[in-house]
Amino acid sequence: MPPETSTKMMNDKFYPIAQPSITEKEHANVESALKSGWISSLGSYVNDFEKRFAEFCGAAHGIAVSNGTVGLHLALRSLGVGKGDDVIVPDLSFIATANAVLMAGATPVFCDIDRETLCIDPAQIAVKITPRTKAIMPVHIYGHPADMDAINALARDKDLKVIEDAAEAHGAEMRGRRVGALGDCGVFSFYANKNLTTGEGGMITTNDARLAERLRLLRDHAMSKTRRYWHEEVGYNYRLTNIQAAIGCAQLDRAEFLLDRKKEIFAWYQEGLASTPNVVVNRTAPWAKNAYWLVCLELRDGDEMRRDRFMQALRSRGIDSRPYFYPMSDMPYFQGANTPVAHEVAKIGVNLPTYVDLRRDDVDYICSEIGVAVAQV
Ligand SMILES: *Cc1c(COP(=O)(O)O)cnc(C)c1O
């Protein structure tokens, strides 16, 4: 915490959306990894990180990977998803969700979302399932878990694979169970702005021992276990380094603290914005525990131009914000999709500064400036 942070400095400060929380623990672990000489993907931090992160999720196995995007690709490939297959994804997500499906040679089918949780709407999934459908890839968006019970019921019925894109939701819970092993597997990201970080990095979690073995094989060029430098099929180098895992272990030591802080920061925003008209923040389903990756704010009577003016007004007050993701189906290399809810919220939503070092007076300041900006635009 910078010592100069005080109320009188507020107007000179710039509040980013996110910033990593790095302490002496992370520094010490990195130093220790460097000193050990194990700086590529062998080393005790990688094993510890995999084991401990799996435990954190209540999963039996953890497979560390270079980032979340390749984690999604590896998961699809390892589950046998490929050419000619459709994968149902929510239209509102970071583009990596859809791109990973393309990387696997399959086709993303864009599904609409629930207006409140912003996660894929199970009722809409049911309509999209065809004989080509091979998998469903729900996203726990902005920290809110998708309704995995409903999704698993659909998948069981039609014999579909389920991959959780949990890149934004470390520690989120659905009906008391942490995300990550609620479907066939879960995929996490440890990018610098995520709830836990390793700089770049990712993890796949699963309860399926055979799938775990297949993930490990394909992560490492599919090299034969019994015959070195023999490869029965095409694999990848999707490994995480011991240096990155060293950071991850330190973050795991602090995970409950980091998650508690996110919850607290959201509560401050909720309180600070309670009387601001026509503004809503994250809604959480009664069965869900939100990991609050990012605070969400929607201008309920707004449109895209008003939202963009609002973001400009905040920026001029030293507060960064970012728009919700565009519906992925709107990208020029896709053919569009009939997803009215995703299209509606994408135009009126922004994410606000949500990082662990924010203090109550920072959030109070941001909320009061939001009140001024909303009235102006
Ligand atoms: C961040 C993110 C990813 C990709 O993770 P990287 O580690 O950046 O590759 C995938 N899906 C979602 C929903 C994300 O937010």
Side-chain angles (χ1 to χ4, degrees):
M1 176 67 56
E4 73 275 15
T5 308
S6 71
T7 315
K8 73 173 167 38
M9 289 286 295
M10 287 302 189
N11 290 325
D12 305 322
K13 274 191 73 169
F14 184 75
Y15 294 100
I17 293 291
Q19 75 185 14
S21 172
I22 303 295
T23 64
E24 284 307 312
K25 248 186 211 294
E26 284 79 359
H27 282 266
N29 278 13
V30 168
E31 172 125 22
S32 156
L34 289 172
K35 281 189 172 150
S36 75
W38 296 100
I39 59 173
S40 290
S41 51
L42 295 177
S44 62
Y45 281 118
V46 176
N47 300 332
D48 283 358
F49 189 38
E50 288 184 333
K51 233 176 112 193
R52 291 182 51 206
F53 189 78
E55 270 166 32
F56 171 84
C57 299
H61 309 276
I63 297 90
V65 290
S66 319
N67 58 64
T69 307
V70 301
L72 291 170
H73 175 227
L74 191 67
L76 288 161
R77 170 80 209 278
S78 300
L79 285 165
V81 177
K83 206 158 175 281
D85 295 331
D86 283 353
V87 179
I88 297 177
V89 298
D91 206 0
L92 189 82
S93 182
F94 179 56
I95 196 64
T97 308
N99 283 356
V101 176
L102 293 180
M103 286 164 74
T107 305
V109 172
F110 300 103
C111 185
D112 213 348
I113 58 169
D114 179 82
R115 185 76 187 73
E116 302 307 319
T117 68
L118 306 181
C119 292
I120 197 164
D121 180 351
Q124 296 294 319
I125 297 177
V127 180
K128 301 271 178 194
I129 295 174
T130 72
R132 284 172 56 101
T133 310
K134 181 80 184 235
I136 308 172
M137 199 151 78
V139 179
H140 306 312
I141 193 93
Y142 300 129
H144 193 296
D147 187 347
M148 295 304 298
D149 281 345
I151 293 164
N152 286 333
L154 286 166
R156 216 174 296 122
D157 235 33
K158 307 276 179 181
D159 199 20
L160 306 176
K161 305 294 185 190
V162 178
I163 300 152
E164 295 169 77
D165 182 340
E168 303 181 357
H170 322 63
E173 292 177 15
M174 186 221 51
R175 298 183 178 90
R177 288 175 295 151
R178 278 210 168 149
V179 300
L182 302 178
D184 289 283
C185 65
V187 181
F188 293 84
S189 165
F190 303 114
Y191 187 69
N193 68 7
K194 301 288 163 83
N195 276 355
L196 300 179
T197 186
T198 63
E200 296 276 359
M203 186 83 75
I204 307 173
T205 48
T206 182
N207 285 328
D208 180 340
R210 278 176 56 194
L211 175 62
E213 196 170 321
R214 178 121 185 96
L215 289 162
R216 288 184 195 286
L217 180 77
L218 292 178
R219 175 180 66 176
D220 197 13
H221 290 298
M223 182 152 73
S224 164
K225 276 205 164 150
T226 50
R227 193 172 169 198
R228 218 169 168 200
Y229 302 117
W230 186 256
H231 310 267
E232 294 282 349
E233 60 182 317
V234 178
Y236 314 95
N237 173 1
Y238 281 173
R239 301 181 301 258
L240 186 78
T241 70
N242 200 44
I243 306 169
Q244 294 167 311
I247 304 173
C249 286
Q251 293 267 297
L252 266 182
D253 287 341
R254 304 173 55 230
E256 302 304 329
F257 164 76
L258 296 170
L259 292 173
D260 284 350
R261 295 285 301 125
K262 289 261 168 160
K263 205 169 129 190
E264 190 175 27
I265 289 164
F266 172 74
W268 293 338
Y269 272 105
Q270 194 171 37
E271 203 185 315
L273 295 169
S275 56
T276 309
N278 288 320
V279 152
V280 294
V281 292
N282 314 50
R283 285 82 63 202
T284 300
W287 45 262
K289 183 178 162 199
N290 200 322
Y292 294 116
W293 175 47
L294 289 176
V295 171
C296 298
L297 178 147
E298 292 167 19
L299 295 168
R300 271 291 159 89
D301 56 348
D303 56 26
E304 194 166 7
M305 275 167 62
R306 179 154 184 257
R307 189 267 311 272
D308 293 350
R309 283 199 304 275
F310 173 69
M311 292 198 315
Q312 262 170 18
L314 287 185
R315 191 152 303 130
S316 74
R317 293 167 164 83
I319 299 157
D320 199 16
S321 61
R322 59 176 229 190
Y324 278 7
F325 299 118
Y326 292 104
M328 296 187 295
S329 64
D330 280 1
M331 302 304 151
Y333 53 95
F334 291 123
Q335 274 76 57
N338 179 22
T339 52
V341 181
H343 278 80
E344 184 200 332
V345 297
K347 290 185 171 77
I348 60 168
V350 300
N351 300 116
L352 297 169
T354 319
Y355 53 89
V356 162
D357 285 338
L358 279 171
R359 302 187 328 183
R360 171 117 214 191
D361 54 359
D362 296 320
V363 174
D364 286 347
Y365 167 78
I366 294 169
C367 289
S368 76
E369 294 305 309
I370 286 171
V372 177
V374 164
Q376 264 180 10
V377 295

